[in-house]
């Protein structure tokens, strides 16, 4: 192996380690959100029955675990964005929106997750793209409120 190949391999290993750390932080934030939902459910703020609650936990946990696994196994390198930031933000947004719809009483608490999404976006996106993400987050929040008004008894 020549020295250039070794340097490229070392850069790739360092980049993958950084991606894995960030992905694990995002997964930790998602699992902490699940803990908040569990506590809120016990207190009566979440309008899920037990089966839906366990289904939510299973689906969300699968998503939180699959991203670090993809990075750990280097399967993320086949994508144009090997950090999978957009996919992780999208997954977290979907999970938070489900929670906001099912638990309108703690919606203000769950909006903190939007700030976490913006924080992780700062790691990856150009500053020109952050207002677009902010607009998407605001629009999705408004859609949850609209859905709550239309479909809630």
């Amino acid at each position: 192996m020549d020295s250039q190949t070794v340097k490229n391999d070392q850069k790739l290993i360092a980049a993958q380690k950084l991606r894995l750390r960030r992905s694990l932080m995002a997964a930790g934030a998602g699992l902490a959100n699940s803990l908040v939902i569990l506590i809120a459910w016990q207190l009566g703020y979440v309008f899920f029955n037990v089966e839906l609650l366990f289904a939510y936990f299973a689906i969300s946990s699968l998503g939180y675990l699959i991203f670090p696994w993809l990075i750990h196994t280097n399967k993320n390198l086949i994508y144009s964005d090997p950090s999978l930031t957009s996919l992780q933000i999208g997954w977290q947004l979907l999970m938070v929106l489900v929670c906001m719809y099912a638990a309108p009483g703690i919606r203000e608490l769950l909006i903190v997750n939007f700030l976490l999404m913006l924080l992780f976006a700062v790691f990856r996106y150009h500053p020109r793209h952050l207002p677009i993400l902010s607009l998407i987050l605001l629009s999705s929040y408004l859609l949850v409120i609209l859905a709550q008004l239309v479909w809630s008894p």
Side-chain angles (χ1 to χ4, degrees):
M1 258 194 220
D2 63 348
S3 64
Q4 186 63 30
T5 305
V6 171
K7 285 182 184 177
N8 288 342
D9 286 347
Q10 289 173 345
K11 286 182 182 178
L12 178 65
I13 291 170
Q16 284 293 89
K17 284 183 179 179
L18 179 61
R19 290 176 188 134
L20 184 60
R21 277 197 309 267
R22 288 179 180 168
S23 182
L24 288 172
M25 284 191 297
L31 292 172
N33 184 55
S34 295
L35 180 63
V36 168
I37 293 302
L38 178 63
I39 293 170
W41 179 76
Q42 289 177 335
L43 295 174
Y45 288 105
V46 180
F47 303 124
F48 280 157
N49 57 29
V50 175
E51 294 84 16
L52 281 177
L53 183 71
F54 282 125
Y56 169 79
F57 286 146
I59 292 169
S60 65
S61 297
L62 178 67
Y64 298 139
L65 296 175
I66 205 162
F67 292 113
W69 176 79
L70 285 171
I71 294 171
H72 179 71
T73 59
N74 293 332
K75 294 185 186 312
N76 63 316
L77 298 175
I78 63 173
Y79 300 105
S80 60
D81 176 18
S83 67
L84 305 175
T85 303
S86 298
L87 292 173
Q88 292 184 69
I89 289 174
W91 180 256
Q92 182 67 15
L93 177 61
L94 180 64
M95 294 296 103
V96 169
L97 292 177
V98 167
C99 293
M100 284 184 171
Y101 179 76
I106 61 166
R107 192 179 301 139
E108 297 81 12
L109 177 65
L110 295 173
I111 204 164
V112 172
N113 288 297
F114 284 3
L115 297 175
L116 281 173
M117 288 178 224
L118 285 172
L119 175 70
F120 283 105
V122 167
F123 290 143
R124 179 71 178 115
Y125 297 139
H126 191 276
R128 287 187 308 232
H129 296 135
L130 295 178
I132 295 168
L133 178 61
S134 299
L135 184 63
I136 291 169
L137 294 176
L138 180 62
S139 300
S140 61
Y141 183 71
L142 293 175
L143 284 174
V144 166
I145 293 173
L146 180 65
Q148 196 77 46
L149 290 173
V150 171
W151 290 306
S152 287

